[in-house]
Amino acid sequence: MEYDDLEFKIPKQCDDYNECSEFVTHSIEEIMQHAIESGRNQIVINTNLKLGLPMENINKIAGPFVEAWAFETFHAVMEDKNNKYLLINVEAQQRLHMADVILQFKKKRKAESGVTAEVDVKATSEDFESSGKSPNITSFKRIRTAYVEDPDYIFIILSLKHRVYSTKNEETGLIDGIMEIVAHNAYDLKFLSMSDISYNPALGSGQLQVRDIHYVTLTERTTWEFCQLVDQKFINSRKGFDQWLELAKSNEWIKVDE
């Protein structure tokens, strides 16, 4: 038995998927850019450390701070019921969820009046060149199954670049750490080019990674084309076809005879 011999459950996305993806991605980019330009891009970290934060290791703790900042930024926009981005709901997700934030936008469509996207926030440091360069994105099994269950699933990678510096707090005499968001990029995972998506077979069913999150090329493709792409990356790894087939059967990606 070979891959092409199987009877797949082929996910068929809606006609306006690309339009919805572009709308969401552009809205997220605009929200981030406005926060930076309006000076709402700083996270102040108060400690009792007289010599300030350990700058050589600051990238190790940056992720949770940046994720929290992104959530609060989206939430502040949503609270303005007349916001121009038409953002109507923001939900933070638990640690083991595939994404960090779920966003819902109001958008007139043929059969629906809105669009939902899950956003995975990735922090990268401007001070350390290799920090966050090739992040794990999500479990192969989970994302592959998500696209079968919902062919219109929109999974956005939001890359936020930050820099950190210290300043003396004149009131306390201590050193405050300032984490500043300085740049951003948002991508639909499904549209990353073949060379930008890599597969790490470690950890369970393996992890999809972005090869270099700072330099990404986009390629429009359907949900089914994306599923085939990541399938081949799994099969071509040391996992091989037999382990892929076990996952395909147990997660119902293919039709099997009873």
Side-chain angles (χ1 to χ4, degrees), residues 10-72:
I10 298 178
K12 297 182 180 180
Q13 66 192 48
C14 61
D15 293 338
D16 66 344
Y17 178 91
N18 289 11
E19 179 186 334
C20 290
S21 173
E22 182 179 358
F23 168 76
V24 166
T25 304
H26 182 69
S27 297
I28 291 172
E29 290 265 17
E30 281 201 337
I31 290 170
M32 294 295 104
Q33 185 62 29
H34 184 258
I36 291 173
E37 291 179 350
S38 61
R40 292 182 289 106
N41 60 330
Q42 292 187 342
I43 304 166
V44 181
I45 305 171
N46 303 117
T47 72
N48 63 347
L49 298 173
K50 294 181 179 180
L51 299 180
L53 298 174
M55 301 300 288
E56 67 277 8
N57 291 311
I58 196 65
N59 58 307
K60 295 180 181 179
I61 64 169
F65 283 103
V66 173
E67 289 168 18
W69 175 86
F71 172 74
E72 290 196 4

Side-chain angles (χ1 to χ4, degrees), residues 91-108:
E91 296 179 15
Q93 298 302 293
Q94 296 180 344
R95 187 174 64 87
L96 295 180
H97 192 82
M98 281 201 296
D100 299 305
V101 186
I102 295 179
L103 304 179
Q104 291 179 308
F105 294 86
K106 187 175 182 180
K107 188 179 190 306
K108 189 174 182 180

Side-chain angles (χ1 to χ4, degrees), residues 122-126 128-137 157-161 184-187 189 191-199 208-218 233:
K122 296 299 180 186
T124 66
S125 174
E126 187 177 63
F128 300 90
E129 185 176 350
S130 61
S131 168
K133 175 183 175 182
S134 304
N136 285 332
I137 300 301
I157 302 167
L158 173 58
S159 172
L160 295 175
K161 183 177 283 190
H184 58 88
N185 282 295
Y187 317 106
L189 172 64
F191 293 155
L192 294 185
S193 73
M194 181 183 297
S195 61
D196 285 317
I197 300 173
S198 59
Y199 170 75
L208 294 187
Q209 297 178 319
V210 179
R211 197 174 302 277
D212 186 344
I213 202 167
H214 301 306
Y215 299 97
V216 168
T217 303
L218 302 181
K233 287 185 179 287

Side-chain angles (χ1 to χ4, degrees), residues 115-127:
V115 58
T116 301
E118 299 202 5
V119 182
D120 188 21
V121 181
K122 296 299 180 186
T124 66
S125 174
E126 187 177 63
D127 305 308

